[in-house]
């Protein structure tokens, strides 16, 4: 009996989260990317010669894969491989950017009772998750497509609109496709956050819309003047369910997901799943050749590949004579300043312990990556406690900042664990069990 008890305890420990965490080098390895979605490409944002990709990296079950970093991505733009050292990657939630969301709810009489009440409650929960930079609009769909709340309204007003929303028991038909078209039309308004999506809740049965399903899908896919809009659909049918196939197609052809609820208790989790997927998506940035041509972009992670094409704007610069004179003055001043700053570096790292003990490493402008493997790292610390991609030091202008890349054993500045922290001359840094000092 004692032997059996010992074996049971051993099996329990082997399957415990503590044991799993101890065996994993970092949490990225715990989740494999099995679904990759390149949703949108934006080039030349705010006049920068930069390409931005909006990317979702998901597990088989639609969970966003966290802790991705630039070296995990292989990007090709117009058949040219992008150097991972030129790539910046951050989740939408950490980027400080907002999202644009339209919630479109079927309020026809087939939704009467508990389905509508639970769908409205789920939508209210989602609106409660919004941050100040996010924008939301509400559309009600019955025998007309009615905008309940515009993007210009406050989130409190959007909640009030939802709370006052009710089923239209007099409606004889559901103009579903017209309602989705209206939702996408709202998403295409200017001056809104680029990351946009719609959530459509319905039983999928359309009756008499002026727009066809094909027209709605093509409109949502966008064009050279309008960004694509993801249309997530949540289907629930008490009677039959013959309309759910159209919701499935609508979601898949707009690069989104179709979620079929077999019970009304699923509504809240479905709305939350979509929100988590969008906020856990990534903004990927790299320098681009803005030449006015159509570019095919390909991104690969974990043997998953996503592709999308976009026409980049053409950045042409034709200086006027006056600008040439001003530019000459600026150039002379810049050369003088360059001579003044010659020899001034971004500082250096002086290692006290670890594989580089007694050595100093000068920092370069831009990004210096630190990790346990030579690939895509500038400073290699071959130690069992240092993660493969452990930390990065960013040198921009006169500012130097260290960022922990979700390492297993952490990054510390003056004894305090940090995710990101400015560095000042004399700061004591610890990379796992390697001690060093930043000097300038």
């Amino acid at each position: 009996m004692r032997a059996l008890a010992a074996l049971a305890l051993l099996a329990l420990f082997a399957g415990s989260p503590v044991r799993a965490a101890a065996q994993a080098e970092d949490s990225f390895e715990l989740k494999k990317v099995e679904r990759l979605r390149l949703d949108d490409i934006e080039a030349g944002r705010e006049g920068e010669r930069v390409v931005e990709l909006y990317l979702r990296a998901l597990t088989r079950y639609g969970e966003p894969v966290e802790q991705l970093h630039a070296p995990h991505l292989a990007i090709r733009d117009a058949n040219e491989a992008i150097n991972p050292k030129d790539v910046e990657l951050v989740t939408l939630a950490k980027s400080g950017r907002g999202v644009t969301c339209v919630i479109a709810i079927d309020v026809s009489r087939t939704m009467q009772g508990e389905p509508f009440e639970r769908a409205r409650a789920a939508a209210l929960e989602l609106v409660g998750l919004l941050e100040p930079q996010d924008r939301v609009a509400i559309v009600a769909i019955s025998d007309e497509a009615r905008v309940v709340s515009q993007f210009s309204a406050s989130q409190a007003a959007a909640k009030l609109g939802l709370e006052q929303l009710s089923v239209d028991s007099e409606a004889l038909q559901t103009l579903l496709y017209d309602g989705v078209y209206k939702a996408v039309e709202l998403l295409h308004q200017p001056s809104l956050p680029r990351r946009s999506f719609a959530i459509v809740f319905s039983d999928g049965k359309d009756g008499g819309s002026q727009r066809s399903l094909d027209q709605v899908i093509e409109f949502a896919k966008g064009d050279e003047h309008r960004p694509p809009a993801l249309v997530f659909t949540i289907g629930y049918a008490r009677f039959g369910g013959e309309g759910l196939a159209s919701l499935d197609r609508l979601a898949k052809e707009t690069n989104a997901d179709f979620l079929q609820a077999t019970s009304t208790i699923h509504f809240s989790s479905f709305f939350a799943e979509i929100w988590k997927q969008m906020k856990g998506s990534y903004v990927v940035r790299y320098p681009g050749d803005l030449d006015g041509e159509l570019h095919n972009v390909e991104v690969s992670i974990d043997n998953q590949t996503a592709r999308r094409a976009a026409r980049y704007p053409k950045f042409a610069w034709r200086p006027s004579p006056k600008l040439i004179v001003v530019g000459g003055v600026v150039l002379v001043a810049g050369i003088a300043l360059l001579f003044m700053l010659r020899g001034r570096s971004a500082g250096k790292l002086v290692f006290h312990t670890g594989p580089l003990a007694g050595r100093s490493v000068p920092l370069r402008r831009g990004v210096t990556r630190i990790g346990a493997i030579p690939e895509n790292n500038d400073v290699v610390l071959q130690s069992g406690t240092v993660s493969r991609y452990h930390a990065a030091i960013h040198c921009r202008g006169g500012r130097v900042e260290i960022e922990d890349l979700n390492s297993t054993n952490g990054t510390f500045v003056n004894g305090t664990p940090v995710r990101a922290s400015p560095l000042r001359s004399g700061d004591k840094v610890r990379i796992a069990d390697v001690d060093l000092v930043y000097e300038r």
Side-chain angles (χ1 to χ4, degrees):
M1 291 296 291
R2 289 181 179 178
L4 288 174
L7 286 173
L9 285 172
L10 181 61
L12 179 63
F13 174 72
S16 71
V18 174
R19 179 67 172 173
Q23 290 177 337
E25 180 182 353
D26 54 54
S27 57
F28 172 74
E29 295 182 340
L30 298 179
K31 290 184 179 180
K32 184 177 181 181
V33 177
E34 298 184 67
R35 295 167 55 198
L36 187 62
R37 301 288 184 266
L38 178 51
D39 296 325
D40 191 11
I41 301 173
E42 185 179 14
R45 181 176 183 266
E46 296 181 349
E48 290 186 285
R49 293 182 180 271
V50 170
V51 176
E52 293 192 343
L53 312 180
Y54 293 94
L55 192 73
R56 281 177 294 147
L58 310 169
T59 66
R60 180 185 308 174
Y61 307 105
E63 284 279 321
V65 174
E66 301 173 349
Q67 301 180 10
L68 284 180
H69 301 291
H72 297 133
L73 279 66
I75 304 175
R76 297 190 68 86
D77 188 323
N79 292 323
E80 294 289 334
I82 304 301
N83 190 333
K85 293 184 178 181
D86 294 331
V87 176
E88 296 179 12
L89 180 147
V90 67
T91 60
L92 188 70
K94 293 181 179 179
S95 71
R97 300 187 189 181
V99 295
T100 302
C101 172
V102 176
I103 302 173
I105 298 182
D106 186 342
V107 297
S108 64
R109 57 185 178 179
T110 57
M111 292 289 104
Q112 200 161 243
E114 186 181 16
F116 170 75
E117 296 298 333
R118 284 191 178 268
R120 181 175 61 180
L124 282 167
E125 289 176 8
L126 188 147
V127 173
L129 297 173
L130 298 179
E131 299 177 5
Q133 65 268 31
D134 300 321
R135 295 291 179 267
V136 65
I138 312 297
V139 173
I141 307 172
S142 57
D143 58 359
E144 64 174 347
R146 178 167 58 90
V147 179
V148 175
S149 177
Q150 292 275 5
F151 288 121
S152 56
S154 66
Q155 292 172 11
K159 282 187 176 182
L160 181 61
L162 278 169
E163 290 169 352
Q164 295 177 344
L165 195 61
S166 61
V167 168
D168 186 355
S169 58
E170 302 299 322
L172 300 177
Q173 55 188 353
T174 306
L175 305 185
L176 176 63
Y177 302 154
D178 287 348
V180 179
Y181 193 94
K182 172 62 70 176
V184 175
E185 194 172 45
L186 289 172
L187 292 174
H188 285 160
Q189 292 180 34
S191 303
L192 291 170
R194 174 90 177 199
R195 198 67 165 118
S196 62
F197 66 101
I199 301 177
V200 178
F201 170 81
S202 174
D203 60 7
K205 294 173 65 176
D206 180 82
S209 286
Q210 294 182 0
R211 311 283 182 178
S212 68
L213 179 58
D214 287 337
Q215 288 175 319
V216 174
I217 290 172
E218 286 305 309
F219 188 51
K221 286 181 177 179
D223 54 31
E224 291 187 14
H225 308 290
R226 295 189 301 266
L230 307 180
V231 182
F232 292 89
T233 56
I234 300 175
Y236 177 75
R238 288 183 292 187
F239 313 108
E242 63 274 13
L244 298 182
S246 61
L247 291 178
D248 186 19
R249 182 183 167 210
L250 176 60
K252 287 180 178 177
E253 294 201 26
T254 61
N255 221 29
D257 292 340
F258 166 65
L259 304 171
Q260 181 177 349
T262 56
S263 169
T264 58
I265 63 173
H266 296 149
F267 296 171
S268 180
S269 62
F270 282 179
F271 273 81
E273 178 182 331
I274 295 168
W275 180 251
K276 183 178 180 181
Q277 192 177 122
M278 294 303 296
K279 295 298 281 188
S281 64
Y282 289 90
V283 181
V284 182
R285 289 168 51 91
Y286 58 86
D289 184 9
L290 306 189
D291 54 6
E293 299 295 327
L294 186 68
H295 283 238
N296 291 297
V297 178
E298 178 181 285
V299 181
S300 298
I301 309 174
D302 277 356
N303 297 319
Q304 298 294 316
T305 300
R307 300 175 179 86
R308 182 174 284 275
R311 186 172 298 280
Y312 291 180
K314 187 171 185 178
F315 278 17
W317 186 57
R318 296 184 177 88
S320 65
K322 182 178 180 180
L323 188 59
I324 291 175
V325 174
V326 173
V329 173
V330 172
L331 179 61
V332 172
I335 292 173
L337 181 61
L338 182 63
F339 275 103
M340 289 174 60
L341 297 177
R342 174 177 286 184
R344 182 181 178 184
S345 70
K348 62 182 178 179
L349 304 178
V350 180
F351 288 85
H352 290 182
T353 64
L356 301 182
R359 293 176 56 185
S360 64
V361 176
L363 295 176
R364 59 174 186 164
R365 299 291 172 179
V367 182
T368 300
R369 303 183 191 277
I370 303 172
I373 62 175
E375 184 180 2
N376 295 317
N377 282 314
D378 304 292
V379 179
V380 180
L381 299 175
Q382 293 181 334
S383 167
T385 61
V386 176
S387 294
R388 292 176 302 166
Y389 307 109
H390 196 107
I393 297 180
H394 303 269
C395 302
R396 303 184 183 94
R399 181 178 175 85
V400 179
E401 182 180 77
I402 189 166
E403 175 192 9
D404 181 80
L405 300 179
N406 295 301
S407 64
T408 301
N409 294 312
T411 300
F412 301 79
V413 176
N414 296 322
T416 302
V418 298
R419 294 298 299 274
S421 172
L423 288 181
R424 298 173 180 84
S425 186
D427 279 348
K428 297 178 180 179
V429 179
R430 171 172 285 186
I431 305 290
D433 62 352
V434 177
D435 292 313
L436 57 134
V437 174
Y438 169 69
E439 294 183 359
R440 188 161 188 172

